[in-house]
Amino acid sequence: MITLRNNFLQLRVNPLGAEWQSIKSANHDIEFLWQGNPAYWSRRAPVLFPIVGELLNSSYRLNEMSYTMERHGFARTLLFETIAFSDDVVEMELCASEETRKIYPFHFSLKIRYEIIENSIVATMAVFNPDAVTLPFSLGAHPAFLLQEGMKNYSIEFEQQEVTKRYFVSNGLLSPDSVLFETKGNELILNTDLFDEDAIIFKSLKSKSMVIKNKSKPFVKMEWDNSFTHFGIWSKRNCNHFVCLEPWAGVADSQGFNGDFTVKEGIINLPPLHTKKFQFTCTFY
């Protein structure tokens, strides 16, 4: 386990999956991150790569070949190498291996950098294509924030008032159905009923930040850059204890999708010898 700290925060990171394990205030009185109670959801903040969400029949087609891959990809299950480490910064890397190429036939480097700056954690993800062929991929973050006082005492404040569409997941796949999503002002009051039909999925948010509030008091603020094209808000059904804010570059397969992986919704096709960077920041109060 790797521990970063400054005068405001302490962050613990597991090299397995480069996954956050704990985010505490410097005096250790407040835990901000869901602690993975398996009775509800055993993970905490998985990194999603090279897919976001689920594939139809857990498989995809590439150049007339078929490959199997489980939901959210394999990065969350593999050991990252620590390539730089100091009191308040860690950089980790996952590269293609013989095993990954059996299910994802590409060379790649995924570097993840976490830096604590005052009361914020800046997460920078960089995908590099070292090969002579295009690299198709999606990437996302999935941190779960602890709602210590129960979900009904929390709300989410969007950067802007939103009038957009909410999309749904059915049996793990993106449904063609959508409904109008409109914030009251710029606020969404949290309750467990919101997640009866899985995640709240957006394709066209105006906002590039949102704040989880506890009875109008800021708890966690997330900001993300334009590299993330989709966004999900999720909690386990009938669970009062956490909510996930999920910036994504990609999304689950649409129901009935049978096209080539390179034309799947949200896929980034990275040219040879190019790097694509993504960044989000979480600020804790």
Side-chain angles (χ1 to χ4, degrees):
M1 205 67 64
I2 295 168
T3 301
L4 307 181
R5 58 172 59 87
N6 65 6
N7 292 331
F8 298 88
L9 292 174
Q10 175 183 283
L11 168 66
R12 295 174 68 238
V13 182
N14 191 342
L16 183 66
E19 184 173 2
W20 293 349
Q21 296 296 292
S22 172
I23 302 168
K24 288 187 175 182
S25 58
N27 61 13
H28 299 184
D29 285 342
I30 300 173
E31 174 66 67
F32 295 96
L33 195 69
W34 168 247
Q35 289 299 287
N37 182 344
Y40 296 98
W41 187 56
S42 60
R43 296 188 180 273
R44 306 183 187 197
V47 173
L48 317 181
F49 176 87
I51 59 171
V52 171
E54 195 161 325
L55 300 171
L56 178 63
N57 299 321
S58 298
S59 67
Y60 67 94
R61 185 163 57 84
L62 180 72
N63 300 327
E64 305 306 321
M65 295 287 289
S66 182
Y67 299 87
T68 298
M69 194 182 302
E70 297 303 316
R71 176 186 295 216
H72 292 323
F74 50 73
R76 62 184 183 158
T77 67
L78 297 180
L79 189 67
F80 282 63
E81 179 185 359
T82 301
I83 56 177
F85 176 46
S86 65
D87 287 347
D88 53 7
V89 177
V90 64
E91 187 170 355
M92 315 174 88
E93 183 178 26
L94 178 69
C95 294
S97 67
E98 183 177 341
E99 290 304 309
T100 66
R101 285 176 56 81
K102 290 177 183 177
I103 59 173
Y104 181 64
F106 298 98
H107 293 285
F108 69 87
S109 160
L110 169 60
K111 288 183 179 179
I112 298 180
R113 186 179 192 269
Y114 299 132
E115 181 177 9
I116 302 178
I117 301 175
E118 295 186 339
N119 60 324
S120 298
I121 299 171
V122 179
T124 306
M125 304 173 172
V127 179
F128 172 62
N129 179 6
D131 212 343
V133 298
T134 298
L135 175 68
F137 72 93
S138 286
L139 180 143
H142 197 322
F145 299 107
L146 181 64
L147 306 179
Q148 189 73 53
E149 296 183 22
M151 185 175 287
K152 67 180 181 180
N153 292 298
Y154 293 81
S155 62
I156 294 177
E157 182 181 271
F158 290 71
E159 178 189 23
Q160 302 184 46
Q161 183 173 1
E162 297 287 348
V163 181
T164 185
K165 290 182 178 180
R166 172 190 174 171
Y167 294 85
F168 296 90
V169 172
S170 178
N171 296 319
L173 302 177
L174 190 66
S175 168
D177 300 330
S178 64
V179 297
L180 179 68
F181 176 90
E182 186 172 1
T183 55
K184 184 179 180 180
N186 58 349
E187 188 174 35
L188 172 66
I189 305 298
L190 290 177
N191 65 80
T192 57
D193 294 347
L194 289 169
F195 307 104
D196 283 349
E197 298 181 74
D198 213 301
I200 303 171
I201 296 173
F202 301 110
K203 299 183 182 183
S204 56
L205 282 180
K206 294 183 295 183
S207 299
K208 291 299 178 185
S209 70
M210 56 181 66
V211 181
I212 301 173
K213 289 188 169 183
N214 178 6
K215 300 173 183 175
S216 78
K217 181 181 178 182
F219 178 61
V220 178
K221 179 180 182 180
M222 177 182 279
E223 304 166 87
W224 58 94
D225 67 17
N226 290 327
S227 298
F228 295 105
T229 53
H230 297 67
F231 201 93
I233 302 174
W234 177 78
S235 188
K236 195 76 171 179
R237 188 175 183 180
N238 296 324
C239 176
N240 281 296
H241 309 302
F242 70 87
V243 67
C244 296
L245 303 183
E246 305 181 41
W248 298 336
V251 70
D253 268 359
S254 298
Q255 292 176 6
F257 175 75
N258 62 358
D260 194 83
F261 186 65
T262 58
V263 297
K264 167 181 161 62
E265 181 177 349
I267 284 290
I268 295 167
N269 288 291
L270 187 65
L273 305 180
H274 279 61
T275 298
K276 176 72 172 177
K277 289 188 176 182
F278 308 79
Q279 189 172 90
F280 70 93
T281 300
C282 292
T283 301
F284 302 89
Y285 300 93

